[in-house]
Amino acid sequence: QVALVESGGGLVQVGGSLRLSCAASGRTFSTYTMGWFRQAPGKDREFVAAIGWSGGSKYYADSVKGRFTISRDNAKNTVYLQMNSLKPEDTAVYYCAATQGDLIYSGSYYREEKYDYWGQGTQVTVSS
């Protein structure tokens, strides 16, 4: 059982950077698969990135690969999303998600229905 709170969103120019944080509460945070999803106005929520228990396995949507980096610090119960070279199409509400179990091993890390816990979201707006 975990609670998630995102922070770090804001307004940036094209080509700029933001670092999102997701603070988690829970005794077994280190055993949880963590993910980031986003939802733009008028669109469905989509997968952005996921990270496994140890932090060694990371997966990204093709649209952000090479620009975004997901990481976690289990000692701080926090997962991060470093976003570089931001584009207008990155504008969305970004959500942190978590679930107990290894979604990396199962190959289902990109499926939002596999995540049991969600944050409230943080707005990212990229302007040109």
Side-chain angles (χ1 to χ4, degrees), residues 4 9 15 19-21 48 51 58 63 67-68 72 94-95 97 100 107-108 120 126:
L4 308 174
R19 189 193 194 197
L20 305 184
S21 297
V48 176
I51 188 167
K58 303 175 182 180
S63 59
R67 299 187 298 118
F68 291 10
R72 67 192 297 166
Y94 284 71
Y95 297 91
Q100 191 174 37
S108 58
Q120 82 288 348
V126 184

Side-chain angles (χ1 to χ4, degrees), residues 2-68:
V2 298
L4 308 174
V5 179
E6 304 99 330
S7 62
L11 175 65
V12 297
Q13 296 292 310
V14 169
S17 298
L18 282 175
R19 189 193 194 197
L20 305 184
S21 297
C22 175
S25 62
R27 180 181 60 192
T28 59
F29 174 81
S30 64
T31 70
Y32 280 66
T33 301
M34 304 294 297
W36 287 96
F37 292 77
R38 67 186 183 185
Q39 187 168 26
K43 297 183 178 180
D44 294 332
R45 188 160 55 187
E46 65 176 355
F47 169 75
V48 176
I51 188 167
W53 295 350
S54 70
S57 298
K58 303 175 182 180
Y59 291 91
Y60 301 92
D62 288 342
S63 59
V64 307
K65 193 173 298 182
R67 299 187 298 118
F68 291 10

Side-chain angles (χ1 to χ4, degrees), residues 25 27 54 93 102 106 115 118:
S25 62
R27 180 181 60 192
S54 70
V93 176
D102 190 351
S106 69
Y115 292 85
W118 294 83

Side-chain angles (χ1 to χ4, degrees), residues 55-106:
S57 298
K58 303 175 182 180
Y59 291 91
Y60 301 92
D62 288 342
S63 59
V64 307
K65 193 173 298 182
R67 299 187 298 118
F68 291 10
T69 302
I70 188 172
S71 62
R72 67 192 297 166
D73 186 338
N74 289 342
K76 297 181 178 179
N77 287 352
T78 302
V79 63
Y80 305 96
L81 186 68
Q82 178 67 47
M83 306 185 296
N84 298 328
S85 301
L86 284 163
K87 305 174 180 179
E89 52 262 45
D90 295 319
T91 295
V93 176
Y94 284 71
Y95 297 91
C96 178
T99 196
Q100 191 174 37
D102 190 351
L103 298 187
I104 304 300
Y105 177 80
S106 69

